Amino acid sequence: MLSVVNDDGTTANGSSLIDEIVREGARRMLAAALEAEVNAYIAELADQRDERGRRLVVRNGYHQPRKVTTVAGAIEVRAPRVNDKRVDEATGERKRFSSAILPPWCRKSLKISEVLPLLYLHGLSSGDFVPGLEQFLGSSAGLSPATVTRLTQQWQADHAAFMDRDLAEVDYVYVWADGIHLNVRLEEAKACVLVLVGVRADGSKELVALKDGYRESGESWADLLRDCARRGMRAPVLAVGDGALGFWKALAEVFPASRHQRCWVHKTANVLNALPKSAQPGARKALQDIYNAEDRDLAVKAIKTFTQLYGAKFPKAVKKITDDEAELLAFYDFPAEHWIHLRTTNPIESTFATVRLRTKVTRGAGSRTAALAMVFKLVESAQQRWRAVNAPHLVALVRAGARFERGQLVERPATAAA
């Protein structure tokens, strides 16, 4: 029954009236659903009778009341009880009714179980769960630090299963690769997390692999790529990464047919670091003219202009562009709608901004396995918000070997098609 509301909109126990209405409505709906479930179960087995004609499955009052934490808050539930006298012929044990809505072990809804690790991963300390959420949910049931401890063990199992899954049925046409350095204890001072994100043939983005490595070395990257190939991964058409030589060396070894695209964000930062601050604003605009050009020919002209403007005084800065010209302009051979995605490794960098926030709050995740599991669950959570590439229907054409000029699909001549 609802409490009388005070002048300030609260009830006698200090909670909001609207919250009590929601909780009471949830309680009544859950009770009705449990009653309907039990009634349907009994009606379905109404013909099951003993030798004296008595029903083997009947109602038997209610279980003891218990509180369940839901998104509507904590509500008290009295689940109906069933007396099932049937015997399993195979095992000789009594059969038992188990509610699919409210299992006997359930103390919180699945949604709450999903929220707890997300809150932990995004910065809420496990010790803050009870004071932080008790007032919001109306109960501290199922919110102990031990809950998160059990969840971290599950995250480790999830990450291990993810890194052992079959990749033969998935086709990643584009991939982004980056090595992310985090403030977590990964056994070695120079350890980092190697991340591979791919674009499937339907245009959606997906985490491909995530494991620890040492200084983004070629052998660390090669180990990751070999493992992906072993599990059936096809060579991507284009790989996007920064200037770390380890990845490109490993890619050439494991997937030699894949083309290379250097990240313009990393390259711009490297070039500007080789210039005095007074020259950096103008140089930044000149670099933007290269990767924002309408086509490859105009981009090449923009590189020549950049060379003329800065080559005499700052040859080292210009050399960083001219030496990698082919890899910097590779994206121009793909659909124009995809250029904005292929120029940089931003799909990884933007995601790991959240990862860095969490690892900063925790001041280290403990063991190597726990650290990787935490990073994996964060990326898995962020993956749900990743949007597909523009014009996703063109991704399959890229895999099929279609040719693009000035960002547009080149149709094959009729004679060639014949």
Side-chain angles (χ1 to χ4, degrees), residues 103-136:
W105 46 264
C106 182
R107 293 297 182 272
K108 56 182 178 295
S109 70
L110 290 177
K111 200 66 178 178
I112 294 296
S113 297
E114 293 174 2
V115 167
L116 291 181
L118 287 178
L119 290 174
Y120 175 69
L121 289 168
H122 286 287
L124 186 65
S125 170
S126 58
D128 294 333
F129 280 159
V130 173
L133 296 181
E134 182 177 11
Q135 196 171 27
F136 178 74

Side-chain angles (χ1 to χ4, degrees), residues 378-413:
L378 264 175
V379 176
E380 187 181 55
S381 173
Q383 183 175 264
Q384 301 175 11
R385 301 187 297 273
W386 293 350
R387 66 181 184 89
V389 298
N390 299 333
H393 63 283
L394 296 177
V395 178
L397 294 179
V398 172
R399 170 57 81 185
R403 191 161 61 92
F404 293 83
E405 290 183 1
R406 298 175 60 88
Q408 302 299 316
L409 177 64
V410 177
E411 299 290 346
R412 291 184 299 171

Side-chain angles (χ1 to χ4, degrees), residues 287-304:
L287 292 173
Q288 290 173 349
D289 289 341
I290 300 173
Y291 61 78
N292 285 330
E294 294 183 14
D295 56 43
R296 176 188 285 272
D297 293 339
L298 292 176
V300 171
K301 291 180 180 179
I303 289 178
K304 292 180 179 178

Side-chain angles (χ1 to χ4, degrees), residues 18-332:
I18 190 171
D19 289 335
E20 288 206 5
I21 292 175
V22 170
R23 289 170 187 160
E24 177 64 16
R27 186 193 65 76
R28 293 181 181 181
M29 291 180 67
L30 178 57
L34 293 173
E35 288 285 351
E37 182 185 33
V38 165
N39 291 338
Y41 181 80
I42 294 175
E44 183 181 355
L45 301 172
D47 59 337
Q48 301 288 313
R49 298 175 181 269
D50 61 16
E51 62 276 4
R52 290 183 291 180
R54 296 177 180 176
R55 287 189 177 185
L56 293 175
V57 183
V58 295
R59 279 289 300 271
N60 187 25
Y62 292 89
H63 290 284
Q64 290 295 320
R66 71 176 189 264
K67 284 191 174 182
V68 179
T69 305
T70 71
V71 292
I75 57 178
E76 189 172 88
V77 178
R78 288 192 69 199
R81 189 162 52 189
V82 176
N83 185 8
D84 193 337
K85 300 178 182 178
R86 295 175 302 152
V87 177
D88 191 317
E89 295 180 358
T91 63
E93 297 180 355
R94 285 272 299 269
K95 293 186 178 182
R96 295 180 180 276
F97 167 76
S98 181
S99 173
I101 300 174
L102 187 69
W105 46 264
C106 182
R107 293 297 182 272
K108 56 182 178 295
S109 70
L110 290 177
K111 200 66 178 178
I112 294 296
S113 297
E114 293 174 2
V115 167
L116 291 181
L118 287 178
L119 290 174
Y120 175 69
L121 289 168
H122 286 287
L124 186 65
S125 170
S126 58
D128 294 333
F129 280 159
V130 173
L133 296 181
E134 182 177 11
Q135 196 171 27
F136 178 74
L137 296 174
S139 172
S140 60
L143 302 179
S144 67
T147 302
V148 177
T149 301
R150 290 193 297 270
L151 286 170
T152 56
Q153 297 174 352
Q154 181 60 49
W155 300 344
Q156 294 172 23
D158 292 345
H159 178 238
F162 174 81
M163 290 300 294
D164 198 40
R165 76 196 191 286
D166 184 17
L167 298 178
E169 301 299 323
V170 187
D171 184 15
Y172 298 110
V173 180
Y174 304 130
V175 296
W176 294 276
D178 206 352
I180 307 297
H181 296 266
L182 302 169
N183 294 324
V184 293
R185 288 167 274 179
L186 290 174
E187 296 181 351
E188 297 286 349
K190 299 297 183 181
C192 66
V193 179
L194 305 181
V195 187
L196 208 63
V197 172
V199 175
R200 299 169 62 116
D202 62 0
S204 60
K205 299 173 186 173
E206 183 175 274
L207 178 66
V208 180
L210 184 150
K211 67 172 296 184
D212 59 327
Y214 182 72
R215 288 185 173 178
E216 300 186 61
S217 67
E219 190 53 41
S220 293
W221 274 115
D223 184 59
L224 183 147
L225 294 178
R226 288 192 206 105
D227 182 64
C228 291
R230 175 187 62 80
R231 291 184 282 131
M233 178 178 170
R234 295 179 61 186
V237 177
L238 180 72
V240 186
D242 61 15
L245 297 178
F247 171 71
W248 301 115
K249 180 181 178 182
L251 184 69
E253 174 190 333
V254 182
F255 297 124
S258 300
R259 295 190 59 185
H260 301 186
Q261 169 63 49
R262 293 291 178 86
C263 171
W264 270 100
V265 171
H266 287 88
K267 178 60 71 173
T268 298
N270 291 337
V271 172
L272 295 181
N273 286 338
L275 296 170
K277 289 187 177 181
S278 59
Q280 290 181 7
R284 185 186 297 275
K285 292 181 180 179
L287 292 173
Q288 290 173 349
D289 289 341
I290 300 173
Y291 61 78
N292 285 330
E294 294 183 14
D295 56 43
R296 176 188 285 272
D297 293 339
L298 292 176
V300 171
K301 291 180 180 179
I303 289 178
K304 292 180 179 178
T305 300
F306 181 79
T307 302
Q308 293 171 358
L309 292 174
Y310 298 96
K313 292 184 177 180
F314 314 107
K316 291 184 179 180
V318 172
K319 187 175 175 61
K320 293 178 181 292
I321 296 294
T322 56
D323 283 358
D324 296 330
E325 180 175 324
E327 290 81 5
L328 287 168
L329 303 184
F331 71 92
Y332 280 112

